[in-house]
Amino acid sequence: MSKHNKPPKPLLWNETGIDFHPQVSTRDMKHSVSTTAAMPFYYASFVGVWVYWLTDLDKVKPHFDRGEGDFRPYVFMDDDDNEKALVAINFQTYTDHAGMALGVVNEVEFNICAYPTADERRVPRGLSVDQFLMGIDQTKRIGLFRIHVPADNTIAVAAGKAFFGEPKFFAQFNYTVPAFNNQAQKTWEINVYDENEPNPMNPENDHHLLFSMHVPELDMAPRYANTSPLALYTYVKDESTGEDIPNGSHWQMLLPMAHYHPLPPDVVSELTITAGGSQVEHMADDIRTLIGDQPAVAVQVFRSNPACIEGAAYDVR
């Protein structure tokens, strides 16, 4: 076997002990079940919305100072032929089965579209936003560099850090999103608070708000995009040396994504994101800097199929 064709070396153990809190996603659980978490990770159900914005390259460059220039933002062109970076907020709500435990997780990934400089010669140039989001890049080198990952499940936080070195931290969620069992809900209402918010269901102010996002009803017909496998990038800290090791993984979506691009003017005007007053992890500040009042350019939705369907009861007399 050529040395250039060896399989990639995992950066971390493929199995690690995690304390699962059955049925509960708060940190107050008194009892836990110790089990082994392993790769790959299987989602039992998944619903997510990705919202994308173009922003100035200079604004994202500070996020690539870590390491030795291991990642670079991918350059897109806007309608006026200006060079731009692409950022994304991905809200996801999912479940997983782990023996005696059922994991229920709400999570957000705040990403910058990027690629590893080690693969620079293989990275296709000149892709449009639409081409990238439709999955045209078959090299799968262009992906999402994670800069903030709040989640409301301590297991997900621990596993994300252990397996991928994700910049993951505990947060609280107040949200309502479209679902098969709530088909009257047409909009996405997502509010994310830091762990210090005493009442995320009815906060007194936005002091602990990370962000609030409203995605209006997407009543136009989508195209369907195959982004899978989606490359995800972070850094892993080598505990023995303190070295930051560039880290890549692939996320497999087993159905196409509903792809909305370009967005009609009414959706663009109604789609809003507001950064809160929380200083935790500086996520709110980064939303203000990288997104601010820029209009969204695309939305993608993923919804896994139901596993079973039970109909209503009927009279058999």
Side-chain angles (χ1 to χ4, degrees):
M1 178 184 290
S2 166
K3 67 179 181 179
H4 299 297
N5 292 327
K6 290 183 178 179
K9 178 182 178 182
L11 292 175
L12 297 163
W13 297 108
N14 277 341
E15 293 188 352
T16 187
I18 298 286
D19 284 337
F20 279 82
H21 310 304
Q23 309 295 336
V24 176
S25 59
T26 69
R27 36 174 65 198
D28 298 326
M29 186 69 179
K30 303 300 182 184
H31 305 287
S32 64
V33 176
S34 183
T35 188
T36 299
M39 290 284 103
F41 177 77
Y42 294 90
Y43 297 80
S45 65
F46 185 98
V47 173
V49 60
W50 283 253
V51 183
Y52 297 88
W53 294 263
L54 288 170
T55 192
D56 293 338
L57 281 168
D58 288 344
K59 291 180 179 179
V60 304
K61 285 180 178 177
H63 292 281
F64 296 92
D65 289 342
R66 186 176 175 184
E68 299 180 1
D70 307 291
F71 299 103
R72 287 202 184 114
Y74 190 81
V75 177
F76 294 94
M77 307 302 291
D78 67 10
D79 292 339
D80 298 318
D81 285 333
N82 297 310
E83 293 187 340
K84 295 288 184 178
L86 185 69
V87 300
I89 293 280
N90 161 223
F91 167 77
Q92 48 191 266
T93 179
Y94 61 89
T95 62
D96 69 274
H97 296 273
M100 186 177 172
L102 175 64
V104 180
V105 185
N106 299 298
E107 184 174 317
V108 164
E109 292 186 355
F110 188 9
N111 310 284
I112 303 169
C113 185
Y115 61 89
T117 53
D119 281 336
E120 189 153 22
R121 64 187 178 87
R122 299 183 181 92
V123 174
R125 301 296 175 187
L127 288 181
S128 67
V129 170
D130 192 74
Q131 288 172 323
F132 168 65
L133 297 181
M134 285 294 289
I136 298 300
D137 170 27
Q138 291 302 299
T139 74
K140 300 304 179 183
R141 261 75 177 187
I142 307 169
L144 300 178
F145 181 77
R146 293 168 286 199
I147 59 173
H148 298 290
V149 186
D152 70 351
N153 186 301
T154 55
I155 306 147
V157 173
K161 289 180 176 179
F163 287 123
F164 304 111
E166 289 182 48
K168 210 160 193 175
F169 60 96
F170 186 83
Q172 303 177 85
F173 288 70
N174 177 352
Y175 69 95
T176 305
V177 302
F180 286 121
N181 289 326
N182 186 17
Q183 296 190 31
Q185 180 69 33
K186 304 296 185 182
T187 64
W188 301 71
E189 312 294 341
I190 300 158
N191 303 282
V192 186
Y193 298 88
D194 65 36
E195 64 180 340
N196 301 310
E197 172 55 56
N199 186 6
M201 296 299 107
N202 188 25
E204 293 184 0
N205 50 54
D206 70 351
H207 294 347
H208 299 293
L209 177 70
L210 291 165
F211 75 92
S212 177
M213 186 166 71
H214 165 79
V215 180
E217 180 180 1
L218 302 167
D219 58 358
M220 59 286 198
R223 288 179 292 153
Y224 287 92
N226 175 29
T227 61
S228 184
L230 179 62
L232 300 174
Y233 300 118
T234 56
Y235 278 95
V236 171
K237 177 77 71 175
D238 187 323
E239 298 298 336
S240 60
T241 65
E243 179 186 6
D244 287 328
I245 303 173
N247 166 19
S249 61
H250 281 119
W251 194 10
Q252 312 284 345
M253 271 73 74
L254 301 183
L255 288 170
M257 282 187 176
H259 174 72
Y260 301 92
H261 178 270
L263 296 175
D266 59 330
V267 171
V268 172
S269 64
E270 293 179 33
L271 197 161
T272 59
I273 184 167
T274 303
S278 174
Q279 293 303 305
V280 170
E281 302 291 330
H282 301 291
M283 182 174 177
D285 290 337
D286 284 335
I287 289 174
R288 268 186 286 271
T289 300
L290 300 186
I291 300 175
D293 59 0
Q294 295 293 319
V297 296
V299 175
Q300 290 181 313
V301 174
F302 183 91
R303 180 180 290 110
S304 56
N305 282 332
C308 304
I309 303 171
E310 183 175 8
Y314 62 93
D315 191 338
V316 296
R317 291 177 294 176

